[in-house]
Amino acid sequence: MAQAGKPFAVGMITICQLMALSLWFSATAVLPQLRAEFDLGAIQSSLFTSSVLLGFVLGTLISAFFGLADRVEARHFWAASAFIAATANILILAVPVDGGVVIGLRLITGICMAGIYPIGMKMVATWSRGDTGFLVGLLVGALTMGSALPHLFAVAVPLDWRMVIVAASISAYIAGVAILFVKLGGTPGKSPRFDPRMVGHIWANKPLRHACYGYFGHMWELYAMWGWIGLFLYGALSGREFDNPGIWAALLTFAIVGIGAFGSLAGGLLADRIGRTTVTMAAMAISGICALVAGALCDASIPILIVVCIVWGISVIADSAQFSSCVIELADPHQVGTALTLQNAIGFIIALGSIHLVPVIADASGWWGAFAMLAVGPLLGFIAMGRLRNMPEAIRLAGGRR
């Protein structure tokens, strides 16, 4: 009987994740309009995305250190996080957009994301029956599609950026109510705690350290690409014969980021069959090449530009879930919680750096230099995963499939 409700429950959790995670890039999706209306500089523009990432790091550390995921019932924790995040998001409309308060509101939104994305993973895991890889890929796909959703809102309500903010908040409010009616497949397992005393021992684990290095290279590229591809496309289309370049740029950004959901699912399925290092190295090689090429295509034919960006959108996220899987398989069981928290915290902090560097380099030397800079991440990640692949401990990955 429990299994009979699995497709509905997993589907509902996935949809709720998608709807609530639209808050993540709700302000980023309207950056072209915000920069035109309020004359935002590169640093202020970057903070609309990076403050959410910083908030997510803080929220993850706080939740892991105090064990909040075990003290509060999962659905209630998720719903409360969605309601607070949606409220912080919509309050952007009540404060000066070019002031510091709006960045504080984005920070709060990011903190609340730590009660949505990881807790959604925890809830969907209660339905796992030997298909954990697929379920994790499904939730990463929801993160990807949720990140793309605000760009679709921007197409639906192109005349006023404020309506995009409102649409994202309403979406999260609805998800917060809906999640309370989702049935779990069992009692959620205890979340592994973050223990700072284990950090040194974890970092001394060479295979685990290289899995983290791979993730760091991945994160250097991922959020900077997601955060700035829309503005890049807006600039590329503005010089062409398009009546509404903003609408076309938003629609293309939705497609490019959103299609990564399928890349995430495919990456998860392939990794279980042909190996984790194989999939991560292939994905980083492709995304790195796309990063090198995309910026140079600003004046190229539109079909070529779109094809390259779509391939980039698929490959940039296809390997994401596999780095966490590597940590789970390589770390000692009692160290998994600390290792995952450490990996995520450092990875998101690294992403902050690349997000802020992209507009600076783009202003100085154009989009080719900015995106080529992102290619450094997948290059170093590729090398790290290649070294991990040659270590004897790699036999523990994906049931012996390296």
Side-chain angles (χ1 to χ4, degrees):
M1 289 296 292
Q3 279 294 100
K6 178 177 178 177
F8 177 78
V10 171
M12 280 296 294
I13 294 170
T14 304
I15 292 170
C16 287
Q17 290 275 97
L18 186 157
M19 294 173 68
L21 289 169
S22 66
L23 297 172
W24 199 304
F25 282 90
S26 59
T28 307
V30 293
L31 264 181
Q33 297 95 310
L34 293 178
R35 294 189 81 173
E37 184 172 336
F38 299 99
D39 194 28
L40 300 179
I43 294 178
Q44 184 78 5
S45 300
S46 301
L47 285 171
F48 276 92
T49 300
S50 64
S51 55
V52 181
L53 268 66
L54 178 59
F56 182 76
V57 172
L58 293 174
T60 301
L61 289 172
I62 292 168
S63 179
F65 188 79
F66 291 102
L68 297 181
D70 297 326
R71 297 183 180 185
V72 183
E73 200 275 334
R75 287 166 295 190
H76 295 161
F77 191 9
W78 196 103
S81 298
F83 292 150
I84 296 170
T87 302
N89 187 65
I90 207 165
L91 283 175
I92 290 174
L93 305 181
V95 300
V97 172
D98 53 355
V101 176
V102 71
I103 302 304
L105 291 171
R106 297 294 289 158
L107 183 73
I108 292 171
T109 299
I111 291 173
C112 292
M113 292 294 104
I116 296 175
Y117 182 51
I119 302 303
M121 288 284 191
K122 187 181 178 79
M123 288 191 292
V124 84
T126 65
W127 287 101
S128 175
R129 305 293 187 270
D131 54 356
T132 303
F134 171 75
L135 294 180
V136 170
L138 193 64
L139 267 291
V140 174
L143 166 68
T144 306
M145 190 62 73
S147 300
L149 196 57
H151 297 284
L152 187 61
F153 292 156
V155 174
V157 284
L159 298 179
D160 192 346
W161 61 267
R162 295 165 184 83
M163 294 306 298
V164 177
I165 301 296
V166 171
S169 290
I170 291 175
S171 177
Y173 281 131
I174 294 172
V177 173
I179 202 73
L180 296 173
F181 296 93
V182 172
K183 182 180 178 182
L184 301 185
T187 302
K190 289 285 185 181
S191 298
R193 298 289 185 90
F194 176 72
D195 186 351
R197 296 170 298 180
M198 291 185 184
V199 171
H201 297 290
I202 290 170
W203 209 246
N205 183 329
K206 188 176 179 181
L208 185 57
R209 191 168 70 244
H210 277 74
C212 289
Y213 288 156
Y215 179 72
F216 299 159
H218 161 75
M219 289 296 286
W220 175 260
E221 177 190 27
L222 176 63
Y223 278 91
M225 183 273 195
W226 277 0
W228 291 108
I229 190 69
L231 196 64
F232 163 69
L233 290 171
Y234 178 76
L237 298 178
S238 293
R240 317 290 181 112
E241 295 182 359
F242 284 91
D243 292 334
N244 297 293
I247 294 176
W248 282 104
L251 189 60
L252 286 173
T253 303
F254 169 74
I256 290 163
V257 176
I259 202 170
F262 300 100
S264 174
L265 281 172
L269 293 172
L270 285 173
D272 288 337
R273 292 191 172 105
I274 65 175
R276 306 216 189 282
T277 60
T278 302
V279 168
T280 54
M281 291 171 69
M284 285 190 285
I286 295 170
S287 68
I289 292 171
C290 289
L292 282 172
V293 172
L297 298 177
C298 197
D299 297 321
S301 69
I302 295 299
I304 293 175
L305 175 63
I306 292 173
V307 168
V308 170
C309 288
I310 285 177
V311 173
W312 196 9
I314 294 171
S315 58
V316 76
I317 189 65
D319 53 349
S320 188
Q322 303 316 309
F323 297 108
S324 297
S325 298
C326 286
V327 167
I328 292 170
E329 291 165 339
L330 293 171
D332 294 334
H334 67 284
Q335 295 179 338
V336 168
T338 302
L340 286 173
T341 303
L342 185 68
Q343 182 194 56
N344 277 278
I346 296 176
F348 275 90
I349 290 171
I350 287 172
L352 296 178
S354 59
I355 286 170
H356 282 273
L357 273 176
V358 165
V360 174
I361 296 177
D363 288 343
S365 59
W367 283 106
W368 182 85
F371 285 165
M373 177 269 297
L374 295 183
V376 174
L379 172 61
L380 296 178
F382 181 93
I383 294 171
M385 296 306 287
R387 290 179 177 175
L388 171 59
R389 182 185 180 88
N390 293 324
M391 296 178 189
E393 293 86 351
I395 198 68
R396 292 155 61 183
L397 299 173
R401 293 177 286 277
R402 304 179 183 218

